[in-house]
Amino acid sequence: MANIVDVPVAQEKMTTLKSLDSLRDLQKSPLLFFSNLTQRYGDIVQIRIFFWPVIIINHPDYIKQVLQGNYRNYNKDVPIFNLFKPLLGNGLVTTYGGESWLQQRRLMQPAFHRQRLSDLGHQTTSSIETMFQHWERYALKHEPLDVAEEMMHLTLNIVSQALFSIDIHERANLFGEAFLEINAFLLEYFNRPFPPLNFPTPRNRRFHRALKTLNTVVYDIMKQHQQAPERHQDLLSMLIEARDEETGEGMSNQQLRDEVMTLLVAGHETAANGLAWSWYLLAEHPEVEQKLHEELDRVLAGRIPTIEDLPNLPYTRMVFEETMRLYPPVWIIMRKALDEDELGEHKIPKQTYVLWSTYAMHRHPEFWERPEQFYPEHFLPEQVAKRPRHAYIPFSHGPRICIGNNFAMVESQLILAMVAQRYRLKLVPDQKIEPQPLMTLRPKYGIQVYIEPR
């Protein structure tokens, strides 16, 4: 990111960031920057990044107004989402809003209805069994593996089968490496957005090679469906068959590509990172791991979990919810005010960007009993009831809440239950584990663990 400078204060009670030295802090550690910013200056701070006027908020009431109360006034025509357009195009996540987004959402929603989640359960447990076959060698030889990478492969395989009826297992490494290359490139490009992507620099050429790899996978999925549409009853088939009510036209290949890429990337990346951080936190907190094991042993008694078991596994759910509080996969959200608005007593000028860090909001001491600790009891029903709804937003909220939030929760709880039922994951000593805020909040160096049968 470039310069941060003074901007006119909207009114007296809003603080304006004045320290130019903050640039280094922002580039060095965005997570710490946003946390320190709100702790020092309060829940609403005004800055300028490049030529962009930005208001940073960190209060549930302000977030509720942007995501729900006056959501039509705030769209996604912002640098953070525009940065992803070379990868995601105009898919559901990056499209700005209005009728185009609403039409896309309506087309996809049936694939995520609760009655379709039972198929997800079978696909999840089957994919985990395949992963266990791979893990047996590591357990027998007491060799370490990177559980963050394992979760990426697992969730990529699950989402590709559940939404597109494709087994991507053999291409998981290829897809994962290309996506990691793009992920790192986009963060670097956001900090140094020059030269343009069409200049043939070594950095840009690496990006285009990685994007070509991902496109090859996506277009292959589309080709298989288009050649034999009668064989598939999944989301992609629904999108291929969908027709505009007025024109009768279907989606173009480009639009289909954008939607498939969005669902593949968003559908596996967020859940995988949440699960990776879960294994790290459980290994660091044996007392929580013990409670989890007791619940799994009592409820499941050794059998494979199903979706029907999830209501009887509340602590399993609480463990994953608490993980997403401390390490929310989507760690930053941004919107643009189309017209003037008010957040509390503060005027928001037209064309102003509004930004908040989910990571900072989830650690706000006013709303969390133990903000920096791994404490699943934060999600006991009585604790949830007394907390503002928008103090916890791992999937965003309002009309543009993540379409796959139920999908992700079911998948992640089943994975937690089935893996913890069979194995303990022990951290390899003396490794550096650090969150890296890219497109999502991932472990920068992975998480090396030993697999120990229970």
Side-chain angles (χ1 to χ4, degrees), residues 3 11 24 33 60 114 151 177 268 338 362 398 404 415 420 443:
N3 213 359
Q11 59 276 329
R24 285 193 302 271
F33 172 80
R114 289 184 179 274
M151 293 299 102
E177 289 171 5
H268 91 280
L338 302 179
H362 286 180
I415 292 171

Side-chain angles (χ1 to χ4, degrees), residues 305-316:
T306 67
I307 286 181
E308 288 71 26
D309 290 312
L310 296 184
N312 299 319
L313 297 171
Y315 196 73
T316 305

Side-chain angles (χ1 to χ4, degrees), residues 87-88 91-93 104 107-109 111-112 155-156 158-160 163-164 175 218 221 234-236 239 251 255-270 402-404 407:
L87 171 63
L88 303 180
L92 188 64
V93 170
Q104 289 169 258
L107 283 173
M108 296 186 187
Q109 193 66 59
F112 295 93
T155 57
L156 180 60
I158 291 169
V159 75
S160 62
L163 299 183
F164 309 123
F175 189 96
V218 167
I221 291 173
D234 53 28
L235 175 58
L236 181 53
L239 296 179
M251 281 190 180
Q255 187 63 51
L256 281 171
R257 175 264 175 213
D258 293 349
E259 301 298 0
V260 174
M261 185 70 79
T262 295
L263 291 164
L264 266 183
V265 169
H268 91 280
E269 171 82 357
T270 51
C402 172
I403 195 171
F407 182 108

Side-chain angles (χ1 to χ4, degrees), residues 159-318:
V159 75
S160 62
Q161 291 190 53
L163 299 183
F164 309 123
S165 305
I166 296 292
D167 186 349
I168 206 172
H169 182 73
E170 293 182 356
R171 290 172 285 179
N173 277 333
L174 189 68
F175 189 96
E177 289 171 5
F179 177 68
L180 184 58
E181 177 79 36
I182 289 176
N183 213 341
F185 166 85
L186 292 176
L187 178 67
E188 184 182 353
Y189 192 77
F190 189 65
N191 285 323
R192 294 191 296 113
F194 50 85
L197 289 177
N198 57 352
F199 277 59
T201 64
R203 183 182 74 163
N204 287 352
R205 284 198 295 267
R206 288 195 302 272
F207 167 77
H208 287 295
R209 281 197 300 269
L211 184 58
K212 183 178 180 180
T213 298
L214 298 189
N215 279 333
T216 298
V217 174
V218 167
Y219 280 119
D220 185 52
I221 291 173
M222 292 167 53
K223 182 179 178 181
Q224 291 184 47
H225 276 65
Q226 289 165 334
Q227 288 179 340
E230 71 282 354
R231 293 174 52 192
H232 306 285
Q233 295 295 323
D234 53 28
L235 175 58
L236 181 53
S237 298
M238 292 164 54
L239 296 179
I240 291 172
E241 296 166 6
R243 294 294 180 268
D244 186 273
E245 293 181 358
E246 295 183 3
T247 67
E249 295 181 355
M251 281 190 180
S252 67
N253 264 6
Q254 181 63 46
Q255 187 63 51
L256 281 171
R257 175 264 175 213
D258 293 349
E259 301 298 0
V260 174
M261 185 70 79
T262 295
L263 291 164
L264 266 183
V265 169
H268 91 280
E269 171 82 357
T270 51
N273 284 317
L275 287 161
W277 289 118
S278 293
W279 300 124
Y280 165 67
L281 289 167
L282 286 167
E284 287 282 272
H285 297 83
E287 74 286 356
V288 175
E289 183 187 51
Q290 180 61 33
K291 289 183 181 179
L292 174 64
H293 289 164
E294 288 172 358
E295 177 179 84
L296 296 174
D297 294 346
R298 182 178 67 255
V299 174
L300 300 176
R303 60 180 174 78
I304 294 176
T306 67
I307 286 181
E308 288 71 26
D309 290 312
L310 296 184
N312 299 319
L313 297 171
Y315 196 73
T316 305
R317 174 187 52 77
M318 289 160 56

